[in-house]
Amino acid sequence: MISNQVLQNTLDGLKSISRTDFYITDMEGKVMASTFSENVCAQEEVLAFANSQADSQVIKGYQFFKIYDDHQLEYVLVINSAGDDVYTLGKLVVFQIQGLLTAYKERFNKDNFIKNLLLDNLLLVDIHNRAKKLHIEVDVRRVVFILETNQDKDYGSLENIKNLLGGKTGDFVTAVDEKSIIIVKELTATDNYPQVDKIANMILTTLGIEKDGRTHIAYGTIVKELKEVSRSYKEARMALDVGKIFFGDREVIAYSSLGIGRLIYQLPIPLCKMFIREIFDGKSPDDFDEETLTTINKFFENSLNVSETSRQLYIHRNTLVYRLDKLQKSTGLDLRVFEDAITFKIALMVVKYMKYMETLDY
């Protein structure tokens, strides 16, 4: 169904061209849009015309026209019959409105199709048949983005993003929940992941979304067929969740860059708890003081380099060695040994994952 605002904008544009006033009602005579300064016909007159067999009729000096949507009466158009060629003008307006109805219906159908495609609710044969009817290319490279922001919807509205993408027929913007906006972007044969990353950054920049630590855009892998779009969507959804757990400072998160975080995200919680008990003997990294945690994180950031870590922490090398020795005594893990460092790093990530999952258990 076309919105009243779209109808009004259409009538205003037609009036500016033809210098003729128009009046559109629904089948019950309720005014949907008008360029007249006042009501020009009674509700009973519209009802009588709607129930008649005529497609057009002159009533009390006004020309009435029926507007159909797929053979079903949708609107009644009213024009002052005093002008020349009013019948031809009326038919042109009817043609224009019916074209809008068809376009909006196709747009709605495409949106519904894309939502079901993303959620994997379609059989393969349905995907091909419906795509053909909706004039959607099947064998085209695409990637799925998910934008999640806590800001006002004005910034991340569907229409704003559609305008940003230039209204390309191969791009689709929709939402399957209240928290995020999904973009199915069509790519050229030469577009690769650096281009995809630029598109993600462009969306954030153009929409004017500020860096707040809670705004993220994630994307999956590039797929070559329409039937694989749901996979790219699931990857983008996972990238969004994993990114919020392990890479909270990143605004743009690619599925291909999740690393070991992707594996940890798929571990069952009981297994994670068992692993933490084995590593920390019933303790938790949360029990470490702030100084120890800062030392650990900086040591990992500098690839286990003692000299560089002590320099960045503004402490003597021996002080850092003392802290590492103290940590080894309490955990049994020496971060200067690569294997122990990997175990400790994974344990910290597992704890992060467990704490995030606890926030979801309402």
Side-chain angles (χ1 to χ4, degrees):
M1 177 67 71
I2 305 175
S3 68
N4 290 358
Q5 186 59 53
V6 172
L7 283 174
Q8 188 62 55
N9 291 342
T10 302
L11 294 190
D12 289 340
L14 291 170
K15 179 181 177 179
S16 67
I17 296 171
S18 65
R19 298 183 181 180
T20 302
D21 283 305
F22 305 97
Y23 188 89
I24 290 181
T25 75
D26 62 12
M27 295 175 294
E28 298 176 352
K30 180 182 177 182
V31 180
M32 309 301 288
S34 174
T35 61
F36 285 94
S37 58
E38 58 184 13
N39 288 346
V40 297
C41 61
Q43 191 173 14
E44 299 78 27
E45 295 169 351
V46 174
L47 286 172
F49 172 67
N51 293 324
S52 70
Q53 297 296 318
D55 285 337
S56 65
Q57 186 177 356
V58 177
I59 303 175
K60 294 183 179 179
Y62 293 94
Q63 184 87 37
F64 285 59
F65 297 88
K66 290 180 179 177
I67 301 176
Y68 294 93
D69 179 16
D70 196 18
H71 305 294
Q72 181 176 343
L73 182 61
E74 194 71 35
Y75 300 118
V76 172
L77 170 69
V78 182
I79 308 176
N80 192 324
S81 63
D84 297 333
D85 298 325
V86 66
Y87 180 81
T88 302
L89 177 60
K91 283 295 185 180
L92 287 172
V93 175
V94 168
F95 181 78
Q96 174 71 14
I97 301 299
Q98 288 182 164
L100 284 175
L101 286 168
T102 301
Y104 270 74
K105 183 189 295 184
E106 181 174 298
R107 178 173 168 180
F108 172 79
N109 288 339
K110 281 186 177 181
D111 186 69
N112 188 53
F113 170 69
I114 292 298
K115 285 180 180 178
N116 282 301
L117 180 67
L118 293 172
L119 297 175
D120 221 0
N121 291 337
L122 298 170
L123 298 174
L124 181 58
V125 64
D126 292 332
I127 292 174
H128 285 273
N129 290 339
R130 293 184 63 180
K132 186 177 180 180
K133 290 179 181 178
L134 295 171
H135 308 291
I136 298 175
E137 292 289 337
V138 175
D139 298 321
V140 173
R141 299 173 79 243
R142 293 181 174 91
V143 67
V144 176
F145 297 89
I146 300 180
L147 171 66
E148 184 174 279
T149 174
N150 69 315
Q151 297 196 15
D152 295 337
K153 290 297 181 183
D154 288 342
Y155 289 101
S157 68
L158 303 181
E159 292 301 325
N160 284 345
I161 295 180
K162 287 174 184 176
N163 293 334
L164 170 63
L165 296 176
K168 295 180 180 178
T169 56
D171 296 335
F172 303 98
V173 182
T174 187
V176 295
D177 56 45
E178 297 178 354
K179 296 181 179 180
S180 52
I181 293 173
I182 297 133
I183 305 155
V184 181
K185 184 77 178 70
E186 183 177 313
L187 304 174
T188 66
T190 58
D191 284 338
N192 50 27
Y193 288 105
Q195 276 72 40
V196 173
D197 205 71
K198 287 180 181 178
I199 293 171
N201 282 285
M202 179 188 67
I203 291 172
L204 293 177
T205 302
T206 307
L207 293 179
I209 296 176
E210 299 177 357
K211 295 182 179 180
D212 56 8
R214 288 176 288 179
T215 297
H216 308 279
I217 185 167
Y219 59 88
T221 56
I222 297 173
V223 297
K224 298 179 180 180
E225 298 180 34
L226 190 62
K227 65 180 182 180
E228 296 178 331
V229 164
S230 62
R231 174 167 61 82
S232 186
Y233 167 69
K234 292 172 185 175
E235 292 170 346
R237 178 62 67 186
M238 180 184 287
L240 193 63
D241 288 338
V242 175
K244 286 188 289 187
I245 299 172
F246 303 117
F247 316 109
D249 57 333
R250 295 187 194 175
E251 290 182 294
V252 178
I253 310 158
Y255 175 78
S256 59
S257 68
L258 298 180
I260 196 171
R262 187 196 313 170
L263 298 177
I264 293 174
Y265 179 75
Q266 298 178 78
L267 294 175
I269 294 298
L271 184 62
C272 292
K273 291 181 178 179
M274 185 186 303
F275 175 71
I276 294 301
R277 281 197 301 268
E278 292 175 356
I279 298 301
F280 295 110
D281 192 23
K283 298 179 182 179
S284 169
D286 294 338
D287 298 333
F288 298 139
D289 56 61
E290 188 65 31
E291 180 183 83
T292 302
L293 288 173
T294 301
T295 301
I296 293 169
N297 291 328
K298 188 62 67 174
F299 193 55
F300 283 138
E301 286 177 17
N302 289 287
S303 303
L304 314 184
N305 187 306
V306 174
S307 299
E308 184 61 24
T309 301
S310 59
R311 187 186 69 80
Q312 291 189 20
L313 289 174
Y314 302 103
I315 60 175
H316 194 275
R317 177 188 175 92
N318 291 342
T319 302
L320 176 59
V321 171
Y322 169 76
R323 291 180 185 179
L324 294 175
D325 288 340
K326 183 180 177 183
L327 183 65
Q328 181 182 4
K329 289 180 181 179
S330 64
T331 64
L333 297 172
D334 185 356
L335 299 193
R336 290 159 292 190
V337 177
F338 183 69
E339 186 175 343
D340 285 357
I342 290 177
T343 302
F344 202 98
K345 178 65 174 178
I346 292 175
L348 290 178
M349 295 180 71
V350 168
V351 170
K352 268 190 176 183
Y353 166 61
M354 291 168 58
K355 290 175 69 175
Y356 174 80
M357 295 306 292
E358 286 176 3
T359 65
L360 303 181
D361 295 336
Y362 297 105

